[in-house]
Amino acid sequence: MEMRQSHPAVRRGLGGACLLASLLVASVASAAPKPGEALPELSSQDLEGKTHRSQEWRGKRTLLVVLTDKDGGEEMRRWFDTAATQVPDSVHRASVLTFKIPFFVSADSARERAKKKVPEEFWSDTWLDKSGGLGKSLGLASSREPYAIALDERGQVLAVVHGDADSPEAKALMKKLSGP
């Protein structure tokens, strides 16, 4: 009898916890850069160990694909494969791998693993952040689905898509990169 009486209370408690978790995730995702905003200043090392700053992307339109989960590599590749057919070669392509890697895995070890998955010609345009700090500074939640950010020549955000490279939103983002 006590189980039946407490069961609705437990359900309400779980429902409240789920709602709170959903709101927290939504607030993190809503913190992602918005169209018209400047991309925050970022700095990290590429897969060759050379330090870069996001200011390097100014002066050219850029497709930035950000991966916040180590298992999202295939989806990231699809974004770049799709871009190869939908945006001009003049659009710069860059990627950021930003996820929390355990302290006992060195940055060099993580870079070597990433090099096995990323074609060598893109090593200098692929940044690795093993602390997950770049994702946090961009306001991005951890997700297997990549975030694609279209930047104009001034470093202003044109569009942000979190999801599939074949979605209608992705097509609109690619169009913005191709347009004037």
mmCIF file of all heavy atoms in Angstrom, residues 74-109:
data_model
loop_
_atom_site.group_PDB
_atom_site.id
_atom_site.type_symbol
_atom_site.label_atom_id
_atom_site.label_comp_id
_atom_site.label_asym_id
_atom_site.label_seq_id
_atom_site.Cartn_x
_atom_site.Cartn_y
_atom_site.Cartn_z
ATOM 1 N N GLU A 74 32.370 10.388 -37.853
ATOM 2 C CA GLU A 74 31.738 10.102 -39.148
ATOM 3 C C GLU A 74 30.782 11.219 -39.550
ATOM 4 O O GLU A 74 30.719 11.594 -40.717
ATOM 5 C CB GLU A 74 31.010 8.763 -39.118
ATOM 6 C CG GLU A 74 31.941 7.569 -39.122
ATOM 7 C CD GLU A 74 32.914 7.583 -40.297
ATOM 8 O OE1 GLU A 74 32.494 7.812 -41.444
ATOM 9 O OE2 GLU A 74 34.121 7.381 -40.050
ATOM 10 N N GLU A 75 30.053 11.755 -38.582
ATOM 11 C CA GLU A 75 29.146 12.872 -38.882
ATOM 12 C C GLU A 75 29.937 14.116 -39.287
ATOM 13 O O GLU A 75 29.525 14.865 -40.167
ATOM 14 C CB GLU A 75 28.238 13.174 -37.696
ATOM 15 C CG GLU A 75 27.157 12.141 -37.495
ATOM 16 C CD GLU A 75 26.249 11.999 -38.712
ATOM 17 O OE1 GLU A 75 25.812 13.011 -39.291
ATOM 18 O OE2 GLU A 75 25.981 10.853 -39.099
ATOM 19 N N MET A 76 31.085 14.343 -38.640
ATOM 20 C CA MET A 76 31.922 15.480 -39.011
ATOM 21 C C MET A 76 32.399 15.327 -40.457
ATOM 22 O O MET A 76 32.350 16.273 -41.241
ATOM 23 C CB MET A 76 33.127 15.589 -38.071
ATOM 24 C CG MET A 76 34.099 16.685 -38.477
ATOM 25 S SD MET A 76 35.500 16.786 -37.357
ATOM 26 C CE MET A 76 34.895 18.066 -36.276
ATOM 27 N N ARG A 77 32.826 14.142 -40.795
ATOM 28 C CA ARG A 77 33.293 13.866 -42.167
ATOM 29 C C ARG A 77 32.182 14.147 -43.182
ATOM 30 O O ARG A 77 32.419 14.698 -44.247
ATOM 31 C CB ARG A 77 33.769 12.428 -42.278
ATOM 32 C CG ARG A 77 34.355 12.089 -43.637
ATOM 33 C CD ARG A 77 34.819 10.651 -43.711
ATOM 34 N NE ARG A 77 35.587 10.237 -42.568
ATOM 35 C CZ ARG A 77 36.926 10.300 -42.494
ATOM 36 N NH1 ARG A 77 37.608 10.765 -43.499
ATOM 37 N NH2 ARG A 77 37.546 9.901 -41.407
ATOM 38 N N ARG A 78 30.937 13.780 -42.840
ATOM 39 C CA ARG A 78 29.808 14.039 -43.749
ATOM 40 C C ARG A 78 29.616 15.531 -43.988
ATOM 41 O O ARG A 78 29.255 15.945 -45.089
ATOM 42 C CB ARG A 78 28.529 13.411 -43.203
ATOM 43 C CG ARG A 78 28.511 11.911 -43.402
ATOM 44 C CD ARG A 78 27.255 11.257 -42.983
ATOM 45 N NE ARG A 78 26.186 12.191 -42.683
ATOM 46 C CZ ARG A 78 24.911 11.927 -42.813
ATOM 47 N NH1 ARG A 78 24.538 10.770 -43.231
ATOM 48 N NH2 ARG A 78 24.000 12.808 -42.502
ATOM 49 N N TRP A 79 29.843 16.350 -42.944
ATOM 50 C CA TRP A 79 29.732 17.804 -43.139
ATOM 51 C C TRP A 79 30.736 18.279 -44.181
ATOM 52 O O TRP A 79 30.401 19.047 -45.082
ATOM 53 C CB TRP A 79 29.945 18.544 -41.815
ATOM 54 C CG TRP A 79 28.682 18.726 -41.067
ATOM 55 C CD1 TRP A 79 28.181 17.937 -40.075
ATOM 56 C CD2 TRP A 79 27.719 19.762 -41.279
ATOM 57 N NE1 TRP A 79 26.970 18.421 -39.657
ATOM 58 C CE2 TRP A 79 26.665 19.543 -40.372
ATOM 59 C CE3 TRP A 79 27.638 20.851 -42.132
ATOM 60 C CZ2 TRP A 79 25.547 20.374 -40.295
ATOM 61 C CZ3 TRP A 79 26.534 21.680 -42.060
ATOM 62 C CH2 TRP A 79 25.503 21.442 -41.160
ATOM 63 N N PHE A 80 31.972 17.803 -44.078
ATOM 64 C CA PHE A 80 32.989 18.243 -45.029
ATOM 65 C C PHE A 80 32.761 17.658 -46.417
ATOM 66 O O PHE A 80 32.995 18.327 -47.421
ATOM 67 C CB PHE A 80 34.392 17.949 -44.492
ATOM 68 C CG PHE A 80 34.767 18.833 -43.342
ATOM 69 C CD1 PHE A 80 35.009 18.305 -42.094
ATOM 70 C CD2 PHE A 80 34.849 20.207 -43.502
ATOM 71 C CE1 PHE A 80 35.341 19.123 -41.025
ATOM 72 C CE2 PHE A 80 35.168 21.044 -42.445
ATOM 73 C CZ PHE A 80 35.418 20.495 -41.197
ATOM 74 N N ASP A 81 32.303 16.426 -46.505
ATOM 75 C CA ASP A 81 31.975 15.832 -47.804
ATOM 76 C C ASP A 81 30.844 16.607 -48.474
ATOM 77 O O ASP A 81 30.875 16.871 -49.682
ATOM 78 C CB ASP A 81 31.583 14.356 -47.655
ATOM 79 C CG ASP A 81 32.757 13.468 -47.290
ATOM 80 O OD1 ASP A 81 33.921 13.913 -47.401
ATOM 81 O OD2 ASP A 81 32.504 12.313 -46.868
ATOM 82 N N THR A 82 29.840 16.983 -47.698
ATOM 83 C CA THR A 82 28.716 17.760 -48.229
ATOM 84 C C THR A 82 29.188 19.136 -48.682
ATOM 85 O O THR A 82 28.812 19.612 -49.758
ATOM 86 C CB THR A 82 27.599 17.879 -47.168
ATOM 87 O OG1 THR A 82 27.175 16.562 -46.801
ATOM 88 C CG2 THR A 82 26.414 18.665 -47.693
ATOM 89 N N ALA A 83 30.031 19.766 -47.881
ATOM 90 C CA ALA A 83 30.553 21.098 -48.240
ATOM 91 C C ALA A 83 31.341 21.040 -49.545
ATOM 92 O O ALA A 83 31.293 21.981 -50.343
ATOM 93 C CB ALA A 83 31.422 21.638 -47.119
ATOM 94 N N ALA A 84 32.037 19.943 -49.782
ATOM 95 C CA ALA A 84 32.839 19.808 -51.007
ATOM 96 C C ALA A 84 31.979 19.922 -52.259
ATOM 97 O O ALA A 84 32.460 20.351 -53.311
ATOM 98 C CB ALA A 84 33.588 18.483 -50.995
ATOM 99 N N THR A 85 30.693 19.578 -52.155
ATOM 100 C CA THR A 85 29.815 19.641 -53.315
ATOM 101 C C THR A 85 28.903 20.870 -53.321
ATOM 102 O O THR A 85 28.253 21.135 -54.320
ATOM 103 C CB THR A 85 28.915 18.385 -53.397
ATOM 104 O OG1 THR A 85 28.059 18.340 -52.255
ATOM 105 C CG2 THR A 85 29.755 17.116 -53.468
ATOM 106 N N GLN A 86 28.858 21.620 -52.195
ATOM 107 C CA GLN A 86 27.882 22.705 -52.104
ATOM 108 C C GLN A 86 28.457 24.099 -51.894
ATOM 109 O O GLN A 86 27.725 25.078 -52.024
ATOM 110 C CB GLN A 86 26.876 22.409 -50.978
ATOM 111 C CG GLN A 86 26.029 21.202 -51.277
ATOM 112 C CD GLN A 86 24.959 20.983 -50.223
ATOM 113 O OE1 GLN A 86 24.611 21.863 -49.456
ATOM 114 N NE2 GLN A 86 24.408 19.788 -50.198
ATOM 115 N N VAL A 87 29.722 24.208 -51.544
ATOM 116 C CA VAL A 87 30.302 25.545 -51.345
ATOM 117 C C VAL A 87 31.561 25.689 -52.185
ATOM 118 O O VAL A 87 32.235 24.697 -52.485
ATOM 119 C CB VAL A 87 30.607 25.836 -49.847
ATOM 120 C CG1 VAL A 87 29.359 25.782 -49.004
ATOM 121 C CG2 VAL A 87 31.651 24.914 -49.294
ATOM 122 N N PRO A 88 31.880 26.916 -52.562
ATOM 123 C CA PRO A 88 33.077 27.132 -53.380
ATOM 124 C C PRO A 88 34.358 26.747 -52.632
ATOM 125 O O PRO A 88 34.395 26.754 -51.399
ATOM 126 C CB PRO A 88 33.063 28.639 -53.662
ATOM 127 C CG PRO A 88 31.788 29.174 -53.134
ATOM 128 C CD PRO A 88 31.157 28.147 -52.281
ATOM 129 N N ASP A 89 35.397 26.434 -53.396
ATOM 130 C CA ASP A 89 36.690 26.096 -52.800
ATOM 131 C C ASP A 89 37.274 27.250 -51.999
ATOM 132 O O ASP A 89 38.127 27.040 -51.136
ATOM 133 C CB ASP A 89 37.690 25.669 -53.889
ATOM 134 C CG ASP A 89 37.319 24.324 -54.501
ATOM 135 O OD1 ASP A 89 36.586 23.552 -53.857
ATOM 136 O OD2 ASP A 89 37.779 24.049 -55.628
ATOM 137 N N SER A 90 36.836 28.468 -52.275
ATOM 138 C CA SER A 90 37.349 29.636 -51.558
ATOM 139 C C SER A 90 36.903 29.671 -50.092
ATOM 140 O O SER A 90 37.477 30.385 -49.280
ATOM 141 C CB SER A 90 36.907 30.925 -52.248
ATOM 142 O OG SER A 90 35.490 30.997 -52.277
ATOM 143 N N VAL A 91 35.878 28.887 -49.746
ATOM 144 C CA VAL A 91 35.413 28.808 -48.360
ATOM 145 C C VAL A 91 36.400 27.945 -47.582
ATOM 146 O O VAL A 91 36.634 26.785 -47.927
ATOM 147 C CB VAL A 91 33.985 28.235 -48.263
ATOM 148 C CG1 VAL A 91 33.593 27.996 -46.809
ATOM 149 C CG2 VAL A 91 32.993 29.166 -48.944
ATOM 150 N N HIS A 92 36.976 28.534 -46.545
ATOM 151 C CA HIS A 92 37.937 27.821 -45.692
ATOM 152 C C HIS A 92 37.194 26.785 -44.847
ATOM 153 O O HIS A 92 36.088 27.047 -44.387
ATOM 154 C CB HIS A 92 38.658 28.829 -44.794
ATOM 155 C CG HIS A 92 39.671 28.209 -43.904
ATOM 156 N ND1 HIS A 92 40.851 27.698 -44.365
ATOM 157 C CD2 HIS A 92 39.667 28.008 -42.572
ATOM 158 C CE1 HIS A 92 41.539 27.212 -43.363
ATOM 159 N NE2 HIS A 92 40.839 27.386 -42.246
ATOM 160 N N ARG A 93 37.796 25.633 -44.671
ATOM 161 C CA ARG A 93 37.206 24.584 -43.844
ATOM 162 C C ARG A 93 38.115 24.355 -42.642
ATOM 163 O O ARG A 93 39.322 24.182 -42.799
ATOM 164 C CB ARG A 93 37.055 23.285 -44.620
ATOM 165 C CG ARG A 93 35.890 23.318 -45.603
ATOM 166 C CD ARG A 93 36.409 23.012 -46.984
ATOM 167 N NE ARG A 93 35.343 22.785 -47.938
ATOM 168 C CZ ARG A 93 35.114 23.599 -48.947
ATOM 169 N NH1 ARG A 93 35.823 24.686 -49.114
ATOM 170 N NH2 ARG A 93 34.152 23.337 -49.796
ATOM 171 N N ALA A 94 37.524 24.370 -41.451
ATOM 172 C CA ALA A 94 38.282 24.151 -40.225
ATOM 173 C C ALA A 94 37.453 23.296 -39.283
ATOM 174 O O ALA A 94 36.224 23.259 -39.378
ATOM 175 C CB ALA A 94 38.616 25.491 -39.567
ATOM 176 N N SER A 95 38.132 22.604 -38.382
ATOM 177 C CA SER A 95 37.408 21.801 -37.400
ATOM 178 C C SER A 95 38.062 21.918 -36.036
ATOM 179 O O SER A 95 39.261 22.161 -35.923
ATOM 180 C CB SER A 95 37.341 20.332 -37.837
ATOM 181 O OG SER A 95 38.630 19.797 -38.011
ATOM 182 N N VAL A 96 37.222 21.760 -35.029
ATOM 183 C CA VAL A 96 37.672 21.768 -33.640
ATOM 184 C C VAL A 96 37.153 20.493 -32.989
ATOM 185 O O VAL A 96 35.954 20.205 -33.054
ATOM 186 C CB VAL A 96 37.150 23.013 -32.886
ATOM 187 C CG1 VAL A 96 37.444 22.909 -31.402
ATOM 188 C CG2 VAL A 96 37.746 24.283 -33.467
ATOM 189 N N LEU A 97 38.064 19.742 -32.400
ATOM 190 C CA LEU A 97 37.719 18.562 -31.623
ATOM 191 C C LEU A 97 37.835 18.977 -30.169
ATOM 192 O O LEU A 97 38.937 19.210 -29.674
ATOM 193 C CB LEU A 97 38.692 17.414 -31.925
ATOM 194 C CG LEU A 97 38.960 17.105 -33.397
ATOM 195 C CD1 LEU A 97 40.036 16.035 -33.529
ATOM 196 C CD2 LEU A 97 37.686 16.688 -34.094
ATOM 197 N N THR A 98 36.729 19.148 -29.492
ATOM 198 C CA THR A 98 36.733 19.643 -28.122
ATOM 199 C C THR A 98 35.907 18.732 -27.230
ATOM 200 O O THR A 98 34.688 18.773 -27.267
ATOM 201 C CB THR A 98 36.253 21.117 -28.046
ATOM 202 O OG1 THR A 98 36.208 21.530 -26.681
ATOM 203 C CG2 THR A 98 34.914 21.334 -28.705
ATOM 204 N N PHE A 99 36.597 17.890 -26.500
ATOM 205 C CA PHE A 99 35.911 17.019 -25.558
ATOM 206 C C PHE A 99 36.854 16.683 -24.413
ATOM 207 O O PHE A 99 38.064 16.783 -24.539
ATOM 208 C CB PHE A 99 35.383 15.734 -26.198
ATOM 209 C CG PHE A 99 36.154 15.238 -27.383
ATOM 210 C CD1 PHE A 99 37.292 14.476 -27.229
ATOM 211 C CD2 PHE A 99 35.738 15.549 -28.668
ATOM 212 C CE1 PHE A 99 37.997 14.007 -28.327
ATOM 213 C CE2 PHE A 99 36.440 15.094 -29.768
ATOM 214 C CZ PHE A 99 37.571 14.327 -29.601
ATOM 215 N N LYS A 100 36.256 16.340 -23.302
ATOM 216 C CA LYS A 100 37.036 16.049 -22.107
ATOM 217 C C LYS A 100 37.683 14.677 -22.236
ATOM 218 O O LYS A 100 37.006 13.659 -22.282
ATOM 219 C CB LYS A 100 36.143 16.104 -20.873
ATOM 220 C CG LYS A 100 36.905 16.149 -19.598
ATOM 221 C CD LYS A 100 36.292 17.189 -18.685
ATOM 222 C CE LYS A 100 37.025 17.255 -17.387
ATOM 223 N NZ LYS A 100 38.156 18.116 -17.413
ATOM 224 N N ILE A 101 39.003 14.685 -22.317
ATOM 225 C CA ILE A 101 39.784 13.455 -22.400
ATOM 226 C C ILE A 101 40.391 13.228 -21.013
ATOM 227 O O ILE A 101 40.859 14.173 -20.386
ATOM 228 C CB ILE A 101 40.888 13.596 -23.475
ATOM 229 C CG1 ILE A 101 40.243 13.812 -24.857
ATOM 230 C CG2 ILE A 101 41.793 12.373 -23.487
ATOM 231 C CD1 ILE A 101 41.227 14.114 -25.960
ATOM 232 N N PRO A 102 40.397 11.996 -20.520
ATOM 233 C CA PRO A 102 40.941 11.743 -19.179
ATOM 234 C C PRO A 102 42.363 12.290 -19.020
ATOM 235 O O PRO A 102 43.150 12.310 -19.970
ATOM 236 C CB PRO A 102 40.927 10.215 -19.062
ATOM 237 C CG PRO A 102 39.921 9.756 -20.064
ATOM 238 C CD PRO A 102 39.950 10.768 -21.168
ATOM 239 N N PHE A 103 42.676 12.717 -17.804
ATOM 240 C CA PHE A 103 43.965 13.338 -17.517
ATOM 241 C C PHE A 103 45.145 12.437 -17.857
ATOM 242 O O PHE A 103 46.223 12.921 -18.191
ATOM 243 C CB PHE A 103 44.043 13.756 -16.041
ATOM 244 C CG PHE A 103 44.174 12.589 -15.094
ATOM 245 C CD1 PHE A 103 45.434 12.149 -14.694
ATOM 246 C CD2 PHE A 103 43.058 11.913 -14.618
ATOM 247 C CE1 PHE A 103 45.554 11.068 -13.834
ATOM 248 C CE2 PHE A 103 43.175 10.847 -13.761
ATOM 249 C CZ PHE A 103 44.435 10.414 -13.361
ATOM 250 N N PHE A 104 44.958 11.131 -17.816
ATOM 251 C CA PHE A 104 46.076 10.223 -18.060
ATOM 252 C C PHE A 104 46.347 10.003 -19.551
ATOM 253 O O PHE A 104 47.312 9.337 -19.912
ATOM 254 C CB PHE A 104 45.868 8.881 -17.349
ATOM 255 C CG PHE A 104 44.558 8.223 -17.646
ATOM 256 C CD1 PHE A 104 44.378 7.449 -18.781
ATOM 257 C CD2 PHE A 104 43.478 8.396 -16.780
ATOM 258 C CE1 PHE A 104 43.168 6.849 -19.053
ATOM 259 C CE2 PHE A 104 42.254 7.788 -17.047
ATOM 260 C CZ PHE A 104 42.093 7.012 -18.180
ATOM 261 N N VAL A 105 45.533 10.589 -20.429
ATOM 262 C CA VAL A 105 45.781 10.536 -21.874
ATOM 263 C C VAL A 105 46.425 11.865 -22.263
ATOM 264 O O VAL A 105 45.824 12.924 -22.115
ATOM 265 C CB VAL A 105 44.479 10.315 -22.667
ATOM 266 C CG1 VAL A 105 44.752 10.341 -24.167
ATOM 267 C CG2 VAL A 105 43.806 9.018 -22.260
ATOM 268 N N SER A 106 47.639 11.812 -22.737
ATOM 269 C CA SER A 106 48.353 13.045 -23.085
ATOM 270 C C SER A 106 47.777 13.666 -24.359
ATOM 271 O O SER A 106 47.158 12.981 -25.180
ATOM 272 C CB SER A 106 49.842 12.758 -23.292
ATOM 273 O OG SER A 106 50.039 12.021 -24.492
ATOM 274 N N ALA A 107 48.022 14.964 -24.516
ATOM 275 C CA ALA A 107 47.597 15.660 -25.731
ATOM 276 C C ALA A 107 48.284 15.041 -26.949
ATOM 277 O O ALA A 107 47.672 14.899 -28.009
ATOM 278 C CB ALA A 107 47.901 17.146 -25.628
ATOM 279 N N ASP A 108 49.559 14.677 -26.805
ATOM 280 C CA ASP A 108 50.278 14.054 -27.927
ATOM 281 C C ASP A 108 49.632 12.734 -28.333
ATOM 282 O O ASP A 108 49.470 12.446 -29.514
ATOM 283 C CB ASP A 108 51.743 13.824 -27.560
ATOM 284 C CG ASP A 108 52.549 15.110 -27.523
ATOM 285 O OD1 ASP A 108 52.125 16.108 -28.160
ATOM 286 O OD2 ASP A 108 53.600 15.123 -26.860
ATOM 287 N N SER A 109 49.233 11.936 -27.358
ATOM 288 C CA SER A 109 48.575 10.666 -27.650
ATOM 289 C C SER A 109 47.232 10.897 -28.338
ATOM 290 O O SER A 109 46.898 10.217 -29.313
ATOM 291 C CB SER A 109 48.384 9.876 -26.356
ATOM 292 O OG SER A 109 47.687 8.687 -26.596
#
